[in-house]
Amino acid sequence: MSRTPLLGALLGACGSVPEGEVCRASLALGTGTEAFEPLADGDVLAMVLGPQGGYHLPLALRVCGAEGRVDTHLRATTAGGDAVVDAWASTVLVAHDGCCGEALDLYGYLLPRDPTRLDGVAATVSAVVGDREVAAELVLAAP
């Protein structure tokens, strides 16, 4: 049995822009490796040990009004202005519903090597895609 029709049905079920409505450009910050989970001010974001032995912030984006590949700039700074993450990435949007797509499993590699130094630290985590920017005040947690 072919999985292609099922995959097409599932992707089609995600929805699209109703006829006559406009897809508005927007950007949302989140986390997630398989599905987008939004982040809001005050949320705790756990640092993760990456596949090459370094630690990172596991980030994801929901991008509306764009298709295909997008260039992203991920940043995180502490209240004192110390850079925690400063990463550029080019990624393909997945789970596109005709208006919005998701950039999942983005690695914001930590500039400090020791994640325990950042445990409990408040940080402004932001992302830029084109002319859109989004930010959230998050609390970092050691793995």
Side-chain angles (χ1 to χ4, degrees), residues 6-93:
L6 177 60
L7 179 60
L10 289 172
L11 291 175
C14 293
S16 60
V17 180
E19 210 171 303
E21 289 190 25
V22 176
C23 176
R24 301 201 187 283
S26 65
L27 181 62
L29 182 66
T31 189
T33 58
E34 295 184 26
F36 178 79
E37 301 170 32
L39 289 169
D41 287 345
D43 284 351
V44 174
L45 182 61
M47 296 168 267
V48 175
L49 178 61
Q52 295 181 342
Y55 289 90
H56 66 272
L57 298 180
L59 299 170
L61 300 171
R62 181 154 172 82
V63 183
C64 298
E67 292 183 40
R69 183 169 295 281
V70 295
D71 294 325
T72 64
H73 185 195
L74 307 172
R75 293 178 298 201
T77 55
T78 65
D82 294 327
V84 176
V85 169
D86 190 11
W88 295 86
S90 182
T91 186
V92 175
L93 298 177

Side-chain angles (χ1 to χ4, degrees), residues 26-28 73 75 124-135:
S26 65
L27 181 62
H73 185 195
R75 293 178 298 201
T124 301
V125 178
S126 65
V128 175
V129 174
D131 62 353
R132 292 166 263 187
E133 183 169 5
V134 64

